[in-house]
Amino acid sequence: MAHSKVILKILFSLCVWSFVIIGLFKMHGTNLVPQDYHQVPQEYQQLPINGRSLLQKDMLRYAETTSTTTDHFDPSEILVDNRTAMDDDQLVRDVESRIPSLPIAYWSKNKNFLQQKSATCAKYPSIFELEFNNIYWQTLRTTNGTFQLFGAYYDIRRTSLLGPTVRILGMIDRIEPKVKTYCQFWFDGQKEPFIVKTFEYKYIWYNKWGNYKQGIYQPYLIACQIPKPFHGVVPSSVSMVEKECDTATNNLRVIYNRPPDDQKKGFAVCVKGLDFLYDDLSVRLIEWIEMLNILGADKIYFYNLQVHPNITKVLSHYEQEGKVQVIPLTLPGGQPNVPGFQHLYLTKKTNHKRQNEVIPYNDCLYKNLYLYNYIALLDIDEVIMPKGNSVLWSELMDKVRPESLKIKPDGYHSYNFRNVYFLDDQQHEHGWHKDIPKYMHMLQHVHRAKNYTKPNQYVKCFHDPERVLTLHNHFPLSCLGGVCKSYPVDTQDAQLQHYRADCVKTLKKSCEEYRENSVEDKTIWKYKDELIRRTIKTLDTLGFF
């Protein structure tokens, strides 16, 4: 009987303590899901379910740190941005960084002076009276077509027969524009413009490629020669008008970037407008950026349409390190810029997509005319890979350029590399390499098509910015000093490694042959250890693991 009483006492004590513990948990709130979960920003809620998304961490952190319950936080310590409001000078610098083509600093400094009456008929346009289009474009409407202007650049290259010139990049909804226009040059300290006739509209397209129709925006490079009294002086801005005395609805800052010490760097890489809103290519992008940095790319310029949040995180990281620059981009005119709809438009309207791509390529060229020896236009699934004894791009060109000069002593406008496919399923048939992380796509894929695509087809180039006038994805369209000449680099020296799931549509017939005839190519493995080390370090820094 005594034994039974002891057991009852123990059971009673356990029950009491269980209720006490449950009560304590209730008091302090032990919900594993934060109570404020419903307050997570809508853009996080709308993301596709992806167990690897870095934003899951951010979402939970947001839910924890934005709780307003006094159980956890003192309301007086709530975190807000307490910086003082920007003054006018700070605001001007901020706007200039967002819209580099807008001469807001010049206008702000000279607005009182420029508003004084001038002897000429044209007056300086207020930046508040300009006609903007889709943020980054400015508009000129004429009696025969509409111009959407993107950027203006100072060109004093020795090989140009025009002499000092301002070149304006934009799109016009006309083929072979007939309308006569003028450039109003505004120089610092001058309250009147110097007005010249537009010299030419250079078409950055071939009519045989399609879309050769009136009413569709076409890419052009417009030239205006700087008058002799102002040779050696960079205009502060330029406006295009149909009549000399018109008050312009556009005003572009004239871009002239030179290195501080006037010493060029080696290689810049330009990447067309990124359109990866739904594809999380962040890990592959890290491997690609690190690969190009190892090869000797001094900077990579990304033009950005719409990308996945993880890609934004990667690009921001490298931008802080100074290895890349991200330039926001929109489509001009009535073309769609709404996320999702823009992607659908670019997918279905291929020729429109290709014509729009010409703008960032040539903007990248002209912003970097005097900064680099070579400029390459690459997609993020392409690598110009040195072979033989060359490890770096600089070593490759130290070998290639002297060989090219033996054939053409006055030099070439560009140096092109043959395309060869590293298709996904070619490697999958051979299995994974255990000493390489599976997520390192290029290092894992070392089986390629035996045959290269034909010479001059789907090539990529190192362009000489001193000698090319306009660029297309694969080669120069026009050059200074005559017809473009491109030197074909021997495949023993280098190749364009193209990592794709499938061939481009125009090579569907050849693609089966590429798949059936493959060879092992481990050229990239000479960078293996360093590429793995760098990639893992960046993935760890960004919290991918």
Side-chain angles (χ1 to χ4, degrees):
M1 191 72 177
H3 184 67
S4 300
K5 287 183 178 180
V6 170
I7 292 173
L8 287 172
K9 286 182 180 179
I10 291 171
L11 290 173
F12 179 75
S13 300
L14 288 172
C15 289
V16 170
W17 278 108
S18 297
F19 282 115
V20 170
I21 292 169
I22 290 170
L24 288 172
F25 271 85
K26 289 285 185 181
M27 287 173 63
H28 291 283
T30 57
N31 288 335
L32 293 177
V33 179
Q35 293 177 354
D36 319 38
Y37 184 78
H38 62 281
Q39 295 178 8
V40 173
Q42 188 176 2
E43 61 268 27
Y44 283 7
Q45 296 176 11
Q46 291 175 347
L47 286 172
I49 296 173
N50 181 353
R52 297 180 182 178
S53 175
L54 292 180
L55 293 179
Q56 288 184 343
K57 294 181 181 178
D58 295 338
M59 185 175 70
L60 291 174
R61 191 181 303 118
Y62 177 93
E64 292 169 1
T65 58
T66 56
S67 171
T68 56
T69 59
T70 54
D71 290 340
H72 299 289
F73 299 104
D74 179 352
S76 65
E77 296 177 357
I78 196 165
L79 298 176
V80 295
D81 188 344
N82 288 317
R83 287 178 295 181
T84 55
M86 287 187 180
D87 59 28
D88 285 353
D89 290 339
Q90 292 171 319
L91 195 57
V92 164
R93 288 194 294 272
D94 183 61
V95 172
E96 191 173 49
S97 70
R98 295 174 188 272
I99 312 177
S101 63
L102 184 66
I104 187 170
Y106 174 72
W107 173 84
S108 178
K109 185 177 88 171
N110 297 287
K111 57 181 180 290
N112 294 328
F113 172 70
L114 292 168
Q115 286 170 357
Q116 297 174 14
K117 286 186 177 181
S118 63
T120 64
C121 54
K123 67 176 184 178
Y124 191 84
S126 165
I127 60 168
F128 303 124
E129 295 169 2
L130 303 179
E131 185 176 344
F132 292 94
N133 179 263
N134 296 341
I135 305 175
Y136 306 109
W137 305 77
Q138 294 183 39
T139 304
L140 164 64
R141 300 184 188 276
T142 73
T143 54
N144 189 15
T146 301
F147 294 55
Q148 300 294 351
L149 307 177
F150 189 75
Y153 321 89
Y154 187 59
D155 186 353
I156 52 170
R157 289 175 289 178
R158 295 186 301 275
T159 48
S160 173
L161 299 178
L162 298 187
T165 303
V166 169
R167 301 192 188 272
I168 301 171
L169 182 64
M171 302 188 87
I172 311 172
D173 62 354
R174 291 291 185 273
I175 52 174
E176 301 179 11
K178 304 296 184 187
V179 63
K180 292 182 180 179
T181 55
Y182 296 84
C183 281
Q184 298 174 346
F185 288 125
W186 298 92
F187 293 90
D188 199 10
Q190 302 283 325
K191 67 178 180 180
E192 300 173 0
F194 204 102
I195 303 171
V196 299
K197 283 185 180 180
T198 300
F199 180 80
E200 69 173 349
Y201 307 114
K202 174 68 73 174
Y203 193 36
I204 321 177
W205 191 251
Y206 287 150
N207 56 15
K208 64 182 179 182
W209 290 343
N211 263 14
Y212 194 66
K213 300 174 184 176
Q214 301 287 7
I216 295 175
Y217 277 107
Q218 312 279 339
Y220 286 91
L221 187 67
I222 303 159
C224 288
Q225 293 174 285
I226 294 175
K228 283 187 177 179
F230 292 95
H231 281 195
V233 183
V234 183
S236 295
S237 67
V238 61
S239 298
M240 283 193 70
V241 292
E242 185 172 6
K243 296 177 181 177
E244 291 179 82
C245 294
D246 286 350
T247 298
T249 58
N250 59 84
N251 192 224
L252 300 167
R253 180 171 73 92
V254 178
I255 294 171
Y256 180 49
N257 296 328
R258 292 199 78 96
D261 55 1
D262 232 26
Q263 293 296 310
K264 289 186 175 184
K265 293 183 178 180
F267 299 86
V269 174
C270 305
V271 182
K272 65 191 177 190
L274 297 175
D275 174 36
F276 301 114
L277 181 61
Y278 304 108
D279 297 326
D280 185 0
L281 301 177
S282 51
V283 176
R284 285 189 59 173
L285 185 61
I286 290 171
E287 183 187 15
W288 185 78
I289 292 172
E290 295 295 354
M291 183 72 255
L292 264 57
N293 283 332
I294 291 171
L295 289 169
D298 292 286
K299 199 155 196 175
I300 306 171
Y301 295 86
F302 290 93
Y303 288 78
N304 187 15
L305 288 168
Q306 312 282 349
V307 295
H308 188 281
N310 283 351
I311 295 178
T312 300
K313 191 163 190 170
V314 169
L315 292 175
S316 297
H317 166 75
Y318 284 111
E319 196 162 33
Q320 289 173 2
E321 289 193 338
K323 294 178 180 177
V324 313
Q325 182 177 339
V326 181
I327 302 101
L329 182 67
T330 58
L331 306 181
Q335 298 178 98
N337 287 286
V338 176
F341 184 33
Q342 183 188 75
H343 173 74
L344 185 65
Y345 173 82
L346 294 173
T347 302
K348 302 300 181 184
K349 306 280 279 185
T350 307
N351 276 341
H352 289 73
K353 171 184 167 72
R354 299 293 178 224
Q355 287 183 315
N356 278 289
E357 287 171 356
V358 166
I359 298 299
Y361 284 146
N362 286 276
D363 179 67
C364 191
L365 166 67
Y366 277 91
K367 281 178 178 173
N368 295 296
L369 278 183
Y370 314 103
L371 300 179
Y372 300 94
N373 292 317
Y374 301 102
I375 291 176
L377 313 183
L378 295 177
D379 295 336
I380 62 173
D381 57 3
E382 299 172 331
V383 176
I384 294 174
M385 184 62 67
K387 298 173 71 176
N389 295 325
S390 299
V391 175
L392 305 175
W393 283 346
S394 57
E395 295 170 349
L396 169 64
M397 293 309 295
D398 286 345
K399 180 179 187 299
V400 166
R401 197 166 180 278
E403 291 174 352
S404 72
L405 292 174
K406 293 176 185 177
I407 302 170
K408 193 173 184 295
D410 58 343
Y412 286 84
H413 299 94
S414 66
Y415 304 82
N416 70 78
F417 301 88
R418 292 276 295 276
N419 175 74
V420 65
Y421 283 116
F422 286 69
L423 299 173
D424 289 358
D425 51 8
Q426 285 176 326
Q427 184 59 43
H428 299 163
E429 294 171 3
H430 294 85
W432 302 98
H433 300 281
K434 294 181 180 179
D435 59 334
I436 298 170
K438 273 191 177 183
Y439 51 78
M440 298 200 66
H441 184 89
M442 294 189 296
L443 282 180
Q444 281 286 359
H445 288 76
V446 290
H447 284 83
R448 64 167 174 83
K450 182 179 180 181
N451 296 324
Y452 294 79
T453 51
K454 293 178 181 179
N456 298 318
Q457 288 191 359
Y458 308 101
V459 299
K460 287 299 176 76
C461 301
F462 285 149
H463 302 283
D464 182 351
E466 288 284 346
R467 301 168 66 92
V468 294
L469 184 60
T470 61
L471 297 180
H472 174 259
N473 188 12
H474 296 291
F475 44 80
L477 284 184
S478 56
C479 296
L480 298 174
V483 178
C484 296
K485 298 291 184 181
S486 185
Y487 178 76
V489 177
D490 195 295
T491 55
Q492 296 298 313
D493 293 324
Q495 62 193 19
L496 176 69
Q497 301 195 175
H498 202 166
Y499 298 87
R500 284 179 63 100
D502 202 354
C503 305
V504 294
K505 291 180 180 178
T506 49
L507 288 177
K508 282 294 182 185
K509 291 182 180 179
S510 307
C511 206
E512 288 307 312
E513 175 201 333
Y514 294 146
R515 280 198 166 87
E516 291 170 5
N517 298 282
S518 65
V519 295
E520 189 175 63
D521 185 339
K522 295 181 177 177
T523 305
I524 195 173
W525 278 14
K526 60 185 172 184
Y527 311 98
K528 180 172 68 171
D529 293 342
E530 180 65 9
L531 184 53
I532 291 174
R533 185 190 68 79
R534 290 188 182 203
T535 301
I536 289 177
K537 180 182 177 183
T538 302
L539 288 168
D540 186 41
T541 299
L542 293 178
F544 274 85
F545 295 123

